Amino acid sequence: MTEPVTILLSTRNRGKLVELQHLLGDFPARLLTAEDAGLGHLDVAEPGETLLENATLKALAYGQASGLPTLSDDSGLFVEALGGLPGVNTAYYGGPAKLVAVLEGIPAPRRAYFACVIVLWTPDGSLQHVEGRIEGQITPELRGAGGFGYDPVFMPDGFNETFAELGVEVKNPISHRGRAVTAALPMLRALLA
Ligand code: IMP
């Protein structure tokens, strides 16, 4: 049996760890939060203009502090009619109700995509990254009680329901994060060698 590899996540959020563990399936990893690794809060600024810059800053900070292989991720929602906003600033934008109000009057389809960048720092100092995307549109109203963030207003291409209506069993394998994790598997497998 392959020994699991220990990987630090550049977060203190245990929910993110549980979600990633689930997305990794049977990949043999022992995931740690920053707290598990005995790291205090690292106040990493996220001044970047791209998801990749921000994820890289976090991976470097936590990786160099711990010496452990470190994964970080950064996600955002990019709305075509808003020139790609809120994008890298999605966490600070104000929520799905605000987005629906801002887009009022703009005819369907209001194209948008979620993107997730995952960066891996390894103790030899190298950085690698992958990206996952899911294309879709913003609905004219909030739909569905499940999910979080912009799930109630994001309808992925090929479906007539929002992420919030579809639920995690349908969402996770096709989501930006799910696709990024799948894309990350080869670089994670290299850690097992
Ligand atoms: P984070 O980088 O994963 O923390 O994502 C930044 C922000 O994007 C979050 O605060 C959410 O508002 C939004 N977001 C990211 N992923 C999703 C998702 O899967 N569903 C809904 N909103 C998301």
Side-chain angles (χ1 to χ4, degrees):
M1 207 184 96
T2 318
E3 278 295 302
V5 59
T6 299
I7 301 174
L8 174 66
L9 306 185
S10 62
T11 180
R12 297 175 69 80
N13 181 343
R14 194 156 300 278
K16 280 209 165 185
L17 182 147
V18 171
E19 186 191 20
L20 181 62
Q21 192 93 62
H22 185 71
L23 288 172
L24 283 173
D26 56 11
F27 181 85
R30 177 172 162 256
L31 302 179
L32 305 178
T33 65
E35 198 172 9
D36 298 333
L39 295 176
H41 176 65
L42 298 185
D43 200 8
V44 186
E46 294 188 34
E49 288 180 13
T50 63
L51 300 176
L52 178 58
E53 281 175 65
N54 286 339
T56 300
L57 288 171
K58 283 187 283 186
L60 268 174
Y62 284 86
Q64 288 174 346
S66 67
L68 294 169
T70 300
L71 274 183
S72 73
D73 73 308
D74 207 23
S75 301
L77 176 64
F78 297 75
V79 180
E80 191 177 282
L82 303 179
L85 294 176
V88 69
N89 295 314
T90 302
Y92 312 104
Y93 182 70
K98 175 181 167 185
L99 180 61
V100 163
V102 168
L103 293 179
E104 208 183 319
I106 296 177
R110 289 100 60 89
R111 302 291 308 163
Y113 65 89
F114 273 115
C116 172
V117 171
I118 292 180
V119 172
L120 173 66
W121 180 91
T122 44
D124 62 2
S126 82
L127 286 162
Q128 294 165 264
H129 73 272
V130 292
E131 182 177 325
R133 281 191 189 192
I134 173 81
E135 302 266 355
Q137 53 183 293
I138 305 299
T139 51
E141 71 283 309
L142 278 70
R143 284 166 34 184
F148 70 98
Y150 294 83
D151 281 349
V153 296
F154 185 81
M155 191 161 74
D157 287 349
F159 294 86
N160 282 316
E161 292 178 298
T162 64
F163 267 167
E165 293 172 305
L166 289 169
V168 288
E169 293 303 322
V170 176
K171 175 190 167 183
N172 280 352
I174 61 164
S175 80
H176 47 310
R177 230 179 330 278
R179 288 175 173 177
V181 170
T182 300
L185 283 175
M187 68 186 187
L188 295 179
R189 274 195 207 103
L191 297 174
L192 296 171

